[in-house]
Amino acid sequence: MKTTTSTQVTHYEVQKKRRESLLEEWKGYHKTVVRRSDVTMVDVPSRRTRRGVYAGWDGDRPTKNLDATVHELDPGVTTTIHRHSWDAIMFVEEGSGWTEIDGQRIDWRPWDTLHLPSWAWHRHGNDGDRPARFHTWSVEPMLEQFGVALLEEGGDTPVKDLPPRPRQVEPITGDDPYARRTQRLARQYEGTESARLVTRFEDVRGLVTKRGARSLFLVDKSIGYHTAGLSAVMHELAPGLYQSRHRHGGEAWLYGVSGEGYSIIDDVRHDWAAGDLVVVDHWQWHQHFNASKDKTARLVRVHNFDALYDMMRILMDPLNLFEELPTLDAPDLTGVVWPDHLEGRPEG
Ligand SMILES: [Fe+2]
Ligand SMILES: [Fe+2]
């Protein structure tokens, strides 16, 4: 075994080079708009589905935080069951079907949103008469980065014969450092297994924000979900209108659900339509516009807030990780008549 070091370059030079090449490599992976037509659907025989990757390692568009995948499920098909250490948001685009999460069946229709919690066994079924399509946005890349991304396949085993979710420790009484750790972890985990799993689109209504859009939470801790940081909001942009400009330290992903528009990101215009994914990279000034004069444009915004951005804010302080104009450049919404929020939703 070799026990001597004969490096001729200094620690400083090695680290400097490593830092530069990492960022260069990662900037090369960034793609601002991934169009529906850029996404190839591929058969996944082991799960009985088809899958297309918008962004993520599995589709040769590596990411470090989130990934975005679209899934297709033929009529009459039930997938195999699996579970994983990362959680995911699932957004239904077309068709109707169901998802079973730890044995609990949830029926869904277009624009319904589900949360697939970490370590919950899940499988999907299509009992409609045409293919169903849904999107998932997960934090698998973040867990892979930390070396804790675990995936377990259950095949067609009934959920009652599969092991339960890993148990969190019971809190130990006392004030020693170990007891305190168990108490804190138990507190954090509390409610996780009974947390909310679905947002039905017909049951939610948006509120007009100061930024100029009508927005509603799809998945967020403020409406009863326990995620590992994932949050999803739907923004509706009124015909011909837009949202105020801002920038932030974390990236934001925007999936076009209906309508068409464009985003100005660091002074460059990027057009998008339903089916496209817009990836706003960190610290880029951005503003989203509805390009239509008569139709609402809807975007689902996904980010990894509580886990990643809160940590980034603390680690990066005193750098400010959110910035908007001192006076918001939001449109005047007086007189705007918002269409029925179900307008344009595909039949289930
Ligand atoms: Fe999954
Ligand atoms: Fe943003």
Side-chain angles (χ1 to χ4, degrees):
M1 186 180 70
K2 195 178 154 188
T3 56
T4 54
T5 305
S6 54
T7 317
Q8 294 305 306
V9 283
T10 65
H11 146 268
Y12 173 76
E13 284 162 310
V14 170
Q15 288 223 326
K16 191 169 189 289
K17 194 157 185 304
R18 204 181 282 158
R19 278 197 195 108
E20 275 165 11
S21 59
L22 179 81
L23 286 184
E24 254 163 49
E25 183 191 338
W26 278 88
K27 278 179 195 155
Y29 296 141
H30 180 76
K31 193 163 191 269
T32 304
V33 182
V34 184
R35 304 202 179 280
R36 161 56 56 87
S37 54
D38 299 332
V39 179
T40 314
M41 296 308 292
V42 181
D43 275 327
V44 183
S46 61
R47 293 218 83 203
R48 306 176 193 124
T49 58
R50 282 181 297 282
R51 214 175 242 232
V53 181
Y54 275 81
W57 288 100
D58 305 325
D60 298 325
R61 277 191 272 269
T63 51
K64 279 287 186 199
N65 172 22
L66 303 169
D67 64 7
T69 313
V70 57
H71 310 251
E72 273 176 9
L73 196 56
D74 282 331
V77 165
T78 299
T79 69
T80 53
I81 196 163
H82 80 178
R83 67 176 183 175
H84 29 76
S85 54
W86 59 91
D87 64 338
I89 288 174
M90 165 178 164
F91 178 79
V92 181
E93 184 179 296
E94 256 181 46
S96 59
W98 52 268
T99 295
E100 184 196 84
I101 302 173
D102 273 347
Q104 190 181 333
R105 177 181 158 134
I106 297 167
D107 291 292
W108 42 252
R109 302 186 51 200
W111 300 2
D112 287 346
T113 315
L114 282 77
H115 180 232
L116 306 171
S118 50
W119 291 120
W121 291 106
H122 54 282
R123 58 180 186 149
H124 314 284
N126 180 352
D127 50 12
D129 52 12
R130 57 206 165 92
R133 187 184 299 134
F134 59 83
H135 295 260
T136 53
W137 301 295
S138 92
V139 290
E140 190 275 344
M142 181 176 77
L143 269 69
E144 197 173 320
Q145 168 73 13
F146 294 150
V148 290
L150 288 167
L151 172 66
E152 203 178 347
E153 263 294 336
D156 290 310
T157 313
V159 70
K160 63 173 176 40
D161 300 331
L162 292 165
R165 290 192 208 183
R167 283 284 98 88
Q168 183 58 282
V169 68
E170 288 293 326
I172 296 170
T173 319
D175 198 28
D176 64 82
Y178 186 71
R180 287 173 58 166
R181 173 171 289 186
T182 65
Q183 292 156 16
R184 194 180 64 254
L185 292 178
R187 236 182 353 257
Q188 192 204 37
Y189 194 74
E190 211 175 16
T192 298
E193 291 190 65
S194 53
R196 184 165 176 177
L197 295 172
V198 61
T199 300
R200 298 191 192 285
F201 197 73
E202 60 237 41
D203 296 340
V204 285
R205 294 291 179 279
L207 291 172
V208 177
T209 77
K210 278 189 191 154
R211 260 194 217 159
R214 186 166 68 169
S215 302
L216 57 93
F217 277 120
L218 296 176
V219 171
D220 191 81
K221 70 173 177 187
S222 64
I223 55 168
Y225 287 93
H226 272 224
T227 76
L230 281 167
S231 160
V233 166
M234 182 181 279
H235 294 308
E236 289 177 276
L237 300 169
L241 296 183
Y242 52 88
Q243 242 191 340
S244 65
R245 197 172 0 155
H246 63 276
R247 62 176 173 175
H248 31 74
E251 59 189 353
W253 291 23
L254 297 124
Y255 177 72
V257 173
S258 72
E260 54 184 321
Y262 60 95
S263 300
I264 296 186
I265 303 176
D266 276 351
D267 297 327
V268 179
R269 174 175 165 149
H270 299 271
D271 291 289
W272 46 259
D276 296 343
L277 178 75
V278 183
V279 177
V280 178
D281 206 358
H282 60 278
W283 213 233
Q284 293 187 305
W285 282 105
H286 55 282
Q287 189 164 24
H288 310 298
F289 297 78
N290 183 344
S292 162
K293 290 275 169 275
D294 50 19
K295 282 206 171 66
T296 307
R298 293 181 181 81
L299 291 165
V300 173
R301 185 279 285 139
V302 180
H303 64 194
N304 180 7
F305 207 90
D306 300 322
L308 193 64
Y309 301 162
D310 278 358
M311 184 167 70
M312 280 169 59
R313 285 178 63 200
I314 292 161
L315 295 177
M316 306 283 277
D317 180 69
L319 294 183
N320 170 26
L321 293 193
F322 181 83
E323 202 174 13
E324 53 190 1
L325 302 180
T327 309
L328 296 188
D329 54 349
D332 178 7
L333 295 173
T334 357
V336 170
V337 181
W338 294 88
D340 184 284
H341 97 301
L342 293 172
E343 179 219 88
R345 179 169 80 152
E347 287 300 309

